[in-house]
Amino acid sequence: MSSWLIYALLSALCAALVALFGKVGLQQLDANTATAVRAVIMALFLVGVVVAQGKLALVGDVLSSKKALLFIVFSGVAGALSWLFYFMALKSGNVAQVAPIDKLSVVFAVVLAVLLLGEKISLVAGIGVALISAGALMVALG
């Protein structure tokens, strides 16, 4: 099995746990405040990972590339907005409905990659994207 597939499956599993743990944790809390606390915890955890791997000196590489840094900032803002909206949705919705709709991000990512990055997808991949869309809507709304 390819390493990218193992990491992607682990990412999906951890994302599922985010939904479950977040729903339980949000029961008596403000969603935006809880998201901010979650972000701080994530930042501290990730800095710890970088330190443990001995890669703290590589932060300079990120900071020295203005274009890369700009897009990492954009990615960070988009991620923060995603978390805010996700936790707001979890606060008032069921995990079984919110999580599948959130996974439409796969569809959005593929469409945007084709439109903005010029990536090509096969007919089979296009059918898969359509099935993901239909499946997410069926699970969430059915």
Side-chain angles (χ1 to χ4, degrees):
M1 190 178 305
S2 298
S3 62
W4 71 263
L5 182 56
I6 293 168
Y7 290 137
L9 289 169
L10 288 170
S11 173
L13 174 63
C14 290
L17 293 175
V18 167
L20 296 175
F21 295 156
K23 180 66 177 178
V24 173
L26 284 171
Q27 289 178 2
Q28 304 299 320
L29 301 175
D30 173 67
N32 290 345
T33 305
T35 303
V37 170
R38 174 181 177 251
V40 170
I41 292 165
M42 288 177 60
L44 292 172
F45 177 82
L46 292 170
V47 168
V49 168
V50 171
V51 169
Q53 291 178 333
K55 295 182 178 180
L56 192 58
L58 297 179
V59 171
D61 293 345
V62 175
L63 299 176
S64 67
S65 173
K66 293 197 184 332
K67 180 181 177 183
L69 181 59
L70 177 66
F71 281 94
I72 289 170
V73 167
F74 288 161
S75 176
V77 170
L81 287 169
S82 173
W83 297 344
L84 285 171
F85 295 136
Y86 189 65
F87 267 39
M88 289 168 68
L90 281 175
K91 176 79 175 168
S92 59
N94 294 325
V95 171
Q97 293 175 306
V98 172
I101 296 298
D102 176 68
K103 296 311 171 232
L104 287 175
S105 62
V106 172
V107 175
F108 297 148
V110 171
V111 169
L112 290 172
V114 169
L115 294 175
L116 300 178
L117 301 178
E119 293 186 8
K120 306 288 185 219
I121 62 168
S122 68
L123 176 62
V124 171
I127 292 169
V129 168
L131 289 171
I132 291 169
S133 300
L137 292 173
M138 289 170 66
V139 171
L141 306 175

